[in-house]
Amino acid sequence: EPEVTQTPSHQVTQMGQEVILRCVPISNHLYFYWYRQILGQKVEFLVSFYNNEISEKSEIFDDQFSVERPDGSNFTLKIRSTKLEDSAMYFCASTTSGQGRKEQYFGPGTRLTVT
Amino acid sequence: AQSVSQHNHHVILSEAASLELGCNYSYGGTVNLFWYVQYPGQHLQLLLKYFSGDPLVKGIKGFEAEFIKSKFSFNLRKPSVQWSDTAEYFCAVNANSGAGSYQLTFGKGTKLSVIP
C-alpha cells in the first residue's frame, strides 16, 4: 500500500539554524499539507499546497516558514531561523483530488529538536 | 472557523471495560469527521471516518463512532478494550476551506490507558 514518507525521522538543530524537512507524498496525490504537534499538545495545521502554490496557511506559518515542491516528488518545509518553540513533531499529509481530498494520509513525522 | 472539543484528557480503564470518548465540534456547515489513534512513539493512524450516510460508522480494531448532528457530536466507542488499545485518540474535522483544501482541525486528544 502506498505510504507518505518523511525524512529525517529526528532532526536536532541549534537555535537560529535553517532546517529543511522532507516529505514524499503518495505519487498520484495532488494536495499536500504540513502539521505540527508540540509535545503534549494537539496537532495543528500549518499549510496546504496545491498546484505549486500555497492554498491555505495558519497564523503559525509566518515568514520563517516556507514550502516547496522542488522536483515533482518531494514536498519540503523549510524553517529559516529556528527557535526553541519550533521544537515539535512535524507531520506531512497528502490527498488525491475531488472527493478524495477529504481524507488525508499522514507520514510518520519528523521530530525536530531545537537546542 | 472550526473547533473540536474532546472532554476527557486521560481515561483509565481495565481490560474488557467499555469505552466511550466524547467529541464535539463547532462549525456551521457540512463537515467530515475523523478519529485518529497515535500509539506511543508512532504516527497518526486513521481509525474511522464519516462523510455522509449512516451516522454509525465502524472502523478498524473494533471501534465505532456515531455522528449525532443535533448534538454536533462524534463519540468514539468500543465495547471491550484491550491493553493494546493504550494510545492517544484524536478527533478531527474538516470541510472545504473554499480554496479547495480540506485541512484538519484536531481536538486536544484523549490519552487512554488500559490496565491489564
Side-chain angles (χ1 to χ4, degrees):
Chain A
E1 188 176 328
E3 290 182 336
V4 177
T5 59
Q6 290 185 243
T7 54
S9 57
H10 190 189
Q11 173 94 44
V12 181
T13 189
Q14 289 189 325
M15 198 166 51
Q17 296 295 304
E18 174 183 287
V19 294
I20 297 176
L21 309 183
R22 289 183 169 79
C23 168
V24 179
I26 295 172
S27 64
N28 64 339
H29 284 191
L30 298 176
Y31 290 81
F32 313 111
Y33 300 81
W34 283 102
Y35 294 84
R36 78 170 185 194
Q37 185 183 27
I38 295 171
L39 188 64
Q41 298 186 25
K42 66 177 179 179
V43 179
E44 300 172 290
F45 166 72
L46 292 178
V47 66
S48 61
F49 190 86
Y50 169 72
N51 199 26
N52 277 322
E53 59 184 30
I54 291 173
S55 304
E56 298 275 347
K57 60 182 181 179
S58 71
E59 61 273 13
I60 302 168
F61 194 87
D62 61 22
D63 292 345
Q64 291 298 310
F65 292 89
S66 62
V67 288
E68 195 177 32
R69 189 156 160 82
D71 56 14
S73 62
N74 288 282
F75 178 51
T76 62
L77 175 69
K78 182 194 290 186
I79 310 175
R80 286 190 184 80
S81 177
T82 51
K83 306 179 190 123
L84 293 176
E85 54 265 37
D86 293 327
S87 294
M89 191 75 139
Y90 288 81
F91 294 104
C92 172
S94 67
T95 76
T96 59
S97 59
Q99 291 299 304
R101 287 177 291 168
K102 298 177 183 179
E103 182 177 348
Q104 298 185 20
Y105 293 78
F106 281 85
T110 293
R111 180 168 299 284
L112 176 65
T113 302
V114 182
T115 61
Chain B
Q2 303 148 21
S3 67
V4 178
S5 297
Q6 290 182 245
H7 313 297
N8 308 104
H9 178 63
H10 192 184
V11 172
I12 302 172
L13 294 172
S14 298
E15 273 192 318
S18 64
L19 169 73
E20 181 159 3
L21 301 182
C23 172
N24 287 90
Y25 68 93
S26 69
Y27 183 67
T30 302
V31 294
N32 307 301
L33 298 149
F34 304 84
W35 276 97
Y36 285 88
V37 60
Q38 188 176 31
Y39 298 101
Q42 297 191 28
H43 63 102
L44 293 161
Q45 296 178 38
L46 181 67
L47 268 182
L48 46 77
K49 63 194 179 198
Y50 174 80
F51 294 161
S52 64
D54 187 345
L56 184 62
V57 291
K58 295 191 184 299
I60 61 171
K61 303 177 192 265
F63 286 91
E64 66 178 31
E66 185 175 12
F67 170 51
I68 303 179
K69 190 173 181 180
S70 60
K71 295 185 178 180
F72 297 89
S73 69
F74 190 56
N75 292 353
L76 180 72
R77 299 195 292 249
K78 186 170 183 179
S80 175
V81 295
Q82 301 170 315
W83 176 79
S84 56
D85 294 324
T86 295
E88 190 151 17
Y89 293 80
F90 293 93
C91 182
V93 303
N94 71 9
N96 191 332
S97 69
S101 64
Y102 280 80
Q103 58 264 29
L104 288 161
T105 299
F106 285 84
K108 290 187 176 180
T110 298
K111 190 168 291 188
L112 172 65
S113 299
V114 180
I115 302 167

